[in-house]
Amino acid sequence: MAITKETVVDKIEILEMGQVQVRTATVIKEDGTELNRSFYRHVLEPSIKTGDTWGDTDISGEDAKVQAICNATWTDAVKTAYQTMIDAQPQLEG
């Protein structure tokens, strides 16, 4: 009786402003028969702002398919549009 755990990126979606939403499935199997499947999602933004400076999002730890989609999607125009949208939002005071 062999129980295995497999983690796979099973869905990649591109949102309106260039964000990339990634769904990861964790599959538990016993002797090849699936017993359970659970999901985790996270969103990657085209650019990251630190203080007043915009930089590229680090995707080096992402699945190769996710990296390829991010690299194809995140053109300079997409990054600029995303940055403009974020900069136009009111800042929360804390």
Side-chain angles (χ1 to χ4, degrees), residues 48-55:
I48 298 293
K49 190 171 190 178
T50 305
D52 291 331
T53 305
W54 284 100

Side-chain angles (χ1 to χ4, degrees), residues 9-15 18-22 44 46 59 62-75 78-79:
V9 172
D10 71 338
K11 186 178 279 193
I12 304 168
E13 301 170 308
I14 301 167
L15 305 180
Q19 304 98 320
V20 176
Q21 180 171 261
V22 181
L44 301 166
I59 57 171
E62 297 294 331
D63 180 86
K65 292 182 290 187
V66 174
Q67 289 183 31
I69 289 172
C70 289
N71 288 329
T73 303
W74 293 346
T75 63
V78 168
K79 291 177 187 179

Side-chain angles (χ1 to χ4, degrees), residues 18-84:
Q19 304 98 320
V20 176
Q21 180 171 261
V22 181
R23 184 176 82 174
T24 303
T26 301
V27 182
I28 307 296
K29 294 181 179 181
E30 181 177 355
D31 296 329
T33 301
E34 185 173 319
L35 301 176
N36 187 46
R37 180 179 294 252
S38 60
F39 301 102
Y40 170 77
R41 288 180 186 266
H42 67 281
V43 177
L44 301 166
E45 292 98 5
S47 295
I48 298 293
K49 190 171 190 178
T50 305
D52 291 331
T53 305
W54 284 100
D56 290 339
T57 301
D58 180 10
I59 57 171
S60 61
E62 297 294 331
D63 180 86
K65 292 182 290 187
V66 174
Q67 289 183 31
I69 289 172
C70 289
N71 288 329
T73 303
W74 293 346
T75 63
D76 288 341
V78 168
K79 291 177 187 179
T80 299
Y82 179 80
Q83 293 166 7
T84 301

